[in-house]
Amino acid sequence: MAGVNAPLVSQGDVYALTSRGEAEIRGAKTTLTPLALELLVRTDGRTTVDQLQASMSEIPSQQVTDTLAKLLHHHLIDYSDPRDDALRLDNIKGIARTAARAHALDASARQEAAVGFNSLKHDGFYVRIARRPEAQPKLPRDRAPKLLIVEDEPHLAQFLSHFMRFEGFEVRVAGDRNAIVEALQEGRPELVLLDVMLPDANGFDVLARIRQHPSLSDLPVVMMTSIATREAVIKGLACGADGYVTKPFQVHLLVKAIQTIFGLAHDRVSDPWEHA
Amino acid sequence: MGTRVISQQDFQRQLDSLNAEFKASLPERIALIEQQWARLSERLLRARAMKAAPRRRGRALRAEERPETTQNETATLERELYRALHSLAGSAQVFGFGALGEAARRAELALGAKGARAALRRSSIMQQALKIMREQLELELQPLEVSLDPRAVVHY
């Protein structure tokens, strides 16, 4: 397919959804691959192909181009002139289009939740790829990165704390709502590991509060959950979780999830019990 | 990821000590879960009996018999037990107590399941899970006796 269709797609091209494309992402059932669906959702009549590739840096550029070519071939997207977009947004069609995009995002969230759910079942962790490269969090070079562990089970909290300290993090542990607030007031961490079930709070509510806070809204948060249902994943994505790790977790998977969030290569992480 | 400031040996020592601490906490935790379940099941049975029995006309309900009191207390007990099971299920498997953690997980799911059918099965699942948890605990706490005599049987 790449050989035949790739020349159709150029770096500076801009695409818009066709009515068929909109119907595809609104539909409950789709036969598209997650990447194709992700590209459909990101197709907004303004973003160029190279911007799309940059925003999905984990995926090889050629794969993005090939998938776009396939979408073009099946008339799910079409060439668009971005100069028309401002005009279109002013008229009724533009408003209808914005509403359609809201639906599309729902479909995207559903699809991502399905992918996330399967990944959780299969791999024990899932990290979403929604962040753009410029928004990807970076670890500080001049000091130990700060990590907030929100976990009320004391042994598990201590275990995570020892492990993440060994991995070079400066760790702070919070077991309830007050401790979370106190820890976040003391300083912004580089990452939060957040348990879903806390004695006096719900992890999803805590996440929603973090996302609403002006200076914490982009704070990377990994949910630690034993409630790995599709609904829980949808809820987490809706609240803006960056990743999920199922409990009981294997530490190397947790580290892998964290490395993915920071865009680091996956080092081999030894199982701490293997020498015990 | 960051710069490691703890040596592998110190890290290992920390984990070993934490593992021992977790193991030592298990008898108390399981005993508490057993107590919580005994209280909850007794309360559920009493509630069912009260619902079935005809009430004498004219007699005011005692405070502990009022539906709102019993429902609130039952809900609190249920919540506490659910949390204890959830917490044990999440941590036991991380510390290498796989079967015990799995039993706690099944009990947690049985307790959290909704509906009349689930309620009927809850009691037997809880009993089974508690039995497995107790057996696993005893197995873990029993010292391993190994004889140097190759003809001897290894007793666990």
Side-chain angles (χ1 to χ4, degrees):
Chain A
M1 190 197 80
V4 178
N5 293 323
L8 289 173
V9 177
S10 308
Q11 295 292 299
D13 281 349
V14 173
Y15 293 96
L17 284 177
T18 61
S19 53
R20 206 169 155 184
E22 286 184 347
E24 185 71 32
I25 47 180
R26 273 207 306 273
K29 286 180 183 172
T30 178
T31 52
L32 294 177
T33 62
L35 175 59
L37 202 69
E38 179 79 21
L39 283 170
L40 274 189
V41 170
R42 287 172 187 236
T43 301
D44 56 2
R46 275 173 295 188
T47 312
T48 58
V49 170
D50 47 355
Q51 282 171 332
L52 276 174
Q53 285 169 336
S55 71
M56 303 170 89
S57 58
E58 302 82 358
I59 296 161
S61 304
Q62 188 60 48
Q63 205 179 332
V64 172
T65 323
D66 288 350
T67 311
L68 282 171
K70 196 176 174 184
L71 294 172
L72 191 61
H73 179 72
H74 290 283
H75 307 292
L76 296 173
I77 56 172
D78 206 349
Y79 293 108
S80 167
D81 186 340
R83 286 167 301 180
D84 291 341
D85 199 52
L87 292 172
R88 263 194 279 166
L89 283 174
D90 285 337
N91 62 30
I92 196 86
K93 265 187 178 174
I95 294 164
R97 188 180 158 74
T98 312
R101 289 209 57 72
H103 271 293
L105 287 173
D106 286 348
S108 158
R110 276 200 303 276
Q111 178 72 11
E112 190 169 5
V115 173
F117 176 72
N118 291 336
S119 173
L120 268 176
K121 287 274 175 206
H122 185 256
D123 304 326
F125 84 103
Y126 171 65
V127 173
R128 72 192 308 195
I129 53 168
R131 282 182 189 254
R132 289 164 179 271
E134 61 272 19
Q136 186 162 48
K138 297 273 180 282
L139 288 173
R141 288 175 183 273
D142 54 339
R143 60 171 171 84
K146 290 180 187 166
L147 169 69
L148 173 61
I149 297 171
V150 180
E151 170 62 64
D152 65 310
E153 208 289 320
H155 294 100
L156 204 52
Q158 232 177 318
F159 172 80
L160 279 170
S161 170
H162 288 330
F163 190 79
M164 298 317 285
R165 274 199 187 107
F166 181 65
E167 284 295 320
F169 280 92
E170 185 188 317
V171 178
R172 170 106 199 225
V173 175
D176 57 30
R177 186 189 283 265
N178 285 344
I180 299 169
V181 173
E182 206 177 291
L184 289 174
Q185 276 172 350
E186 256 184 35
R188 184 190 146 111
E190 266 70 40
L191 176 74
V192 177
L193 296 181
L194 178 59
D195 186 17
V196 170
M197 193 185 274
L198 295 164
D200 58 351
N202 179 323
F204 294 118
D205 294 340
V206 174
L207 176 63
R209 291 286 175 93
I210 287 175
R211 290 290 173 253
Q212 283 162 9
H213 196 280
S215 63
L216 300 172
S217 58
D218 60 343
L219 181 62
V221 176
V222 175
M223 306 292 282
M224 300 186 292
T225 177
S226 56
I227 318 164
T229 60
R230 201 177 293 255
E231 291 70 31
V233 177
I234 290 176
K235 201 170 172 187
L237 286 174
C239 294
D242 287 83
Y244 275 91
V245 175
T246 47
K247 285 203 311 187
F249 49 78
Q250 289 170 298
V251 276
H252 69 279
L253 294 179
L254 181 61
V255 172
K256 225 171 166 180
I258 296 171
Q259 285 169 337
T260 310
I261 286 172
F262 289 105
L264 303 171
H266 291 169
D267 303 331
R268 188 188 173 276
V269 180
S270 60
D271 182 347
W273 299 125
E274 75 185 6
H275 306 295
Chain B
M1 257 169 285
T3 313
R4 284 182 176 168
V5 289
I6 304 171
S7 72
Q8 177 83 40
Q9 286 85 352
D10 284 346
F11 175 53
Q12 201 56 59
R13 263 196 292 277
Q14 285 178 336
L15 292 187
D16 290 344
S17 130
L18 189 59
N19 199 19
E21 212 179 282
F22 180 80
K23 193 172 171 178
S25 76
L26 284 174
E28 199 183 323
R29 288 176 82 156
I30 292 175
L32 184 66
I33 287 173
E34 285 169 337
Q35 280 170 24
Q36 284 172 325
W37 169 242
R39 280 169 61 201
L40 180 64
S41 53
E42 189 202 325
R43 196 168 276 275
L44 289 171
L45 279 174
R46 208 191 311 157
R48 203 181 303 164
M50 275 175 69
K51 209 174 170 185
R55 216 173 62 197
R56 271 180 293 165
R57 196 180 288 177
R59 183 174 76 83
L61 286 175
R62 287 194 293 268
E64 67 272 20
E65 287 177 343
R66 286 187 196 132
E68 64 274 18
T69 314
T70 53
Q71 277 166 14
N72 283 347
E73 284 174 1
T74 307
T76 308
L77 262 175
E78 225 166 26
R79 213 168 30 243
E80 282 170 2
L81 177 58
Y82 186 82
R83 281 205 57 78
L85 287 166
H86 176 80
S87 174
L88 185 61
S91 52
Q93 295 190 29
V94 172
F95 288 97
F97 299 88
L100 200 154
E102 186 53 37
R105 171 78 63 226
R106 280 168 193 240
E108 178 198 350
L109 290 174
L111 194 66
K114 302 277 176 240
R117 235 175 124 182
L120 282 174
R121 293 181 58 210
R122 183 183 297 160
S123 181
S124 71
I125 295 175
M126 284 295 298
Q127 302 285 4
Q128 273 179 35
L130 286 173
K131 187 167 167 263
I132 295 171
M133 281 156 67
R134 179 57 65 188
E135 280 170 3
Q136 288 297 315
L137 178 66
E138 278 162 16
L139 210 62
E140 289 291 343
L141 297 181
Q142 211 167 9
L144 186 67
E145 292 171 22
V146 183
S147 168
L148 292 176
D149 183 349
R151 290 164 300 177
V153 180
V154 176
H155 298 285
Y156 290 96

